[in-house]
Amino acid sequence: MLFSMGAFVVLFVYGMVMATVMGGLTTAMSDLPTTILIALLGLFIASQRTPVVTRSDAQILVLYIATFLLATLALGGLILSLPPYFVFQAQSDWHGSSVSYSQGVSKFFGFGLVLCGFLLQAERSVKLQILLLFPSLTFLLLAFVGGGRGDALTALIIFLFVVMIRLPLKAKIPAIIIIVMLTGLFVRNINLDDLVIFRRLSIILEGSAGARDEIYAEAIGMLADKVQCAVIGCGFDYFQFALQQDVGRYPHNQLIESMIVWGIPLTLVTMSYTVIGLYKSFREDGRNDAFPFIALFFFFIAMKSGSVVSSWLFVISVFHYFGVGLDRALFPRQNQ
């Protein structure tokens, strides 16, 4: 707990100090409310003893998502057709055609799928595990219907990890059979091209990441050209400040952005201990604490979108598990 709080304070303050020195603070000030929220929530999460998110917490969150789904249906925001689709207020001109999708919707229901995955492997009753498959697959479908590629695929990967690795054999076999049967039934009765997510995935398969290709090149170029950023970091939002970009044009890869903020050495050390802390938490508390699953979900998403001054769950997870990893490395006997 103390290591997590210490890690949070040191890394957060260091990023703000370097932003003040290098000039990025003027850009970061536009995100000040979010930054303050990250600071307060970071201290709260870091101060928590495990489990951070209990089974009852996860059940309440799943119930909230299910309630939101029912309200969306009642208000006409979700149309139950084959395939179902959300009624979005805004459309975007995407590659010459008008399509509707929302990363937020995919992330919301992907989050629900991850929570269901946690409850699935935490449950001891095979009958209840089978029952949990139905809300799980519902959230999976809605995450894909939302159209957010990375968010939906990340949730799917974590859910498959739960089914294939963490479920006992007596639950794994019927779960796989049900998933395959329902997926086959769904695919057989729809045209996959009717789902925006598959049309958007086809662009990736053609080798184009859109504007992200240019942004990645700019971020990596900054690390290559500015030695100070690579070695000791340049603080929050320096990328936008140096390139005179809008605050919304961040690197879209929070590992690369972290290297710009804190420097490559400190980022690699932090991420190494974060991975150790996350791994240990999965092994020791994975059946009682949903937070490792939540953290993993937002870690994957952070590799393709979001900023370290806006993606508060990613940042807080890093601070928390860095402290856990450091604690496990320095005091291994006390944690046996």
Side-chain angles (χ1 to χ4, degrees):
M1 181 176 70
L2 291 177
F3 275 107
S4 295
M5 294 184 68
F8 171 81
V9 171
V10 169
L11 291 173
F12 189 85
V13 170
Y14 183 77
M16 292 299 290
V17 169
M18 294 306 299
T20 303
V21 173
M22 299 300 297
L25 185 65
T26 56
T27 305
M29 287 297 289
S30 62
D31 281 329
L32 188 59
T34 305
T35 305
I36 293 174
L37 176 66
I38 290 174
L40 295 176
L41 289 174
L43 287 173
F44 174 76
I45 294 294
S47 67
Q48 300 302 297
R49 297 185 181 274
T50 56
V52 178
V53 180
T54 65
R55 289 177 62 180
S56 60
D57 294 335
Q59 290 167 351
I60 291 171
L61 287 170
V62 169
L63 181 61
Y64 166 75
I65 295 171
T67 303
F68 177 87
L69 171 58
L70 293 175
T72 303
L73 280 168
L75 295 172
L78 175 62
I79 305 301
L80 295 180
S81 60
L82 280 176
Y85 63 91
F86 288 100
V87 180
F88 296 113
Q89 289 185 338
Q91 291 187 323
S92 61
D93 186 15
W94 178 80
H95 290 275
S97 62
S98 184
V99 297
S100 297
Y101 66 91
S102 169
Q103 291 180 334
V105 168
S106 292
K107 186 181 296 182
F108 182 74
F109 288 107
F111 182 66
L113 176 61
V114 170
L115 291 172
C116 283
F118 161 73
L119 292 172
L120 190 68
Q121 56 89 53
E123 182 57 58
R124 298 298 183 184
S125 168
V126 175
K127 291 182 180 180
L128 290 177
Q129 287 174 324
I130 299 302
L131 285 175
L132 275 168
L133 284 176
F134 293 96
S136 300
L137 294 176
T138 300
F139 290 156
L140 173 61
L141 173 61
L142 295 176
F144 271 73
V145 169
R149 296 170 297 197
D151 309 274
L153 289 176
T154 295
L156 174 60
I157 290 170
I158 295 174
F159 183 72
L160 290 178
F161 160 75
V162 169
V163 172
M164 301 304 295
I165 305 298
R166 296 187 67 86
L167 281 188
L169 188 62
K170 61 182 179 180
K172 184 181 303 182
I173 293 176
I176 293 174
I177 292 173
I178 291 173
I179 291 171
V180 171
M181 288 179 60
L182 291 179
T183 302
L185 183 64
F186 182 76
V187 171
R188 184 179 178 180
N189 287 278
I190 69 162
N191 182 357
L192 291 181
D193 286 338
D194 290 337
L195 288 174
V196 173
I197 189 170
F198 289 105
R199 302 206 298 272
R200 298 186 69 228
L201 283 171
S202 66
I203 299 297
I204 297 294
L205 295 176
E206 292 172 3
S208 173
R212 284 192 177 93
D213 288 337
E214 179 183 344
I215 297 173
Y216 293 158
E218 290 174 343
I220 293 172
M222 177 173 289
L223 287 170
D225 296 338
K226 295 190 178 292
V227 177
Q228 178 175 338
C229 290
V231 176
I232 63 172
C234 290
F236 295 120
D237 281 352
Y238 181 76
F239 176 81
Q240 296 94 316
F241 171 77
L243 298 179
Q244 297 184 338
Q245 302 283 354
D246 181 77
V247 68
R249 188 178 170 85
Y250 40 79
H252 283 76
N253 182 303
Q254 293 183 50
L255 179 60
I256 296 175
E257 186 179 1
S258 295
M259 292 179 179
I260 297 173
V261 172
W262 290 295
I264 294 175
L266 184 55
T267 297
L268 292 180
V269 170
T270 301
M271 290 303 174
S272 297
Y273 280 110
T274 297
V275 170
I276 293 172
L278 187 57
Y279 173 75
K280 294 291 187 181
S281 293
F282 260 114
R283 292 199 61 181
E284 298 169 9
D285 305 308
R287 297 198 181 276
N288 302 309
D289 190 356
F291 197 56
F293 293 83
I294 296 171
L296 191 63
F297 178 57
F298 285 98
F299 282 169
F300 278 121
I301 291 176
M303 296 303 104
K304 63 89 184 176
S305 65
S307 168
V308 296
V309 295
S310 61
S311 301
W312 61 272
L313 266 171
F314 166 76
V315 177
I316 291 169
S317 299
V318 169
F319 291 150
H320 177 73
Y321 286 112
F322 172 70
V324 172
L326 194 61
D327 178 61
R328 297 299 191 273
L330 294 179
F331 305 103
R333 293 188 177 181
Q334 293 182 16
N335 292 290
Q336 288 179 353

